[in-house]
Amino acid sequence: MPNILAIGFDPHTIPGFDPAPVAAGIKQGSKAFAELGLTEDLFLIDFEELDGRAQAKLVEKLESRQYDAVLIGGGIRKGSGLLELFQTVVNLVHWHQPDAAIAFNESPSDSPDWVLKALEQKRKS
């Protein structure tokens, strides 16, 4: 059973943002992971911890077990002013999970599709 780490923002911590649609998408994606037989760990970044605390917590999570794939959510790479965070997250994943496939998604609900594609790419490499 493949182990997946999904990294994204905790939608409840983003100022001035309606968390309901993203929270529903995360729940739908998690359900789909389970139905596919994939073990998902969620790592949701608190928007108020972008001062470095989130990065330290992410390193701890990445070192806690081996993952077959790591998914980096769209909010981290699409958000205005978040390029440095995105680069940091990609590098931390690369350094601490060098054997994991890296996946990106369009929305939380399509995360399993992109993880499966990344796992297939890894298998073929």
Side-chain angles (χ1 to χ4, degrees):
M1 183 176 270
N3 294 311
I4 310 304
L5 177 62
I7 303 169
F9 280 120
D10 180 339
H12 298 95
T13 67
I14 302 172
F17 181 76
D18 177 10
V22 174
I26 291 170
K27 185 176 180 179
Q28 180 182 356
S30 294
K31 182 179 176 189
F33 276 125
E35 289 171 353
L36 292 167
L38 303 172
T39 302
E40 177 200 28
D41 279 349
L42 274 174
F43 181 82
L44 298 179
I45 297 171
D46 185 323
F47 208 75
E48 295 180 9
E49 293 185 343
L50 297 181
D51 57 5
R53 291 177 287 167
Q55 289 88 334
K57 289 179 179 180
L58 177 56
V59 168
E60 185 178 316
K61 185 68 171 179
L62 290 166
E63 291 179 343
S64 70
R65 69 186 301 182
Q66 181 62 44
Y67 292 99
D68 298 294
V70 177
L71 173 84
I72 301 171
I76 292 174
R77 59 175 207 287
K78 294 180 184 178
S80 177
L82 295 174
L83 182 59
E84 184 175 358
L85 175 65
F86 173 60
Q87 178 173 294
T88 299
V89 169
V90 170
N91 279 321
L92 290 174
V93 170
H94 173 67
W95 297 327
H96 295 278
Q97 291 288 326
D99 295 327
I102 298 176
F104 305 97
N105 64 3
E106 293 285 334
S107 70
S109 60
D110 70 6
S111 296
D113 296 332
W114 290 105
V115 166
L116 290 174
K117 288 176 187 181
L119 288 169
E120 181 64 16
Q121 289 170 339
K122 179 182 174 188
R123 187 187 65 76
K124 289 181 176 179
S125 67

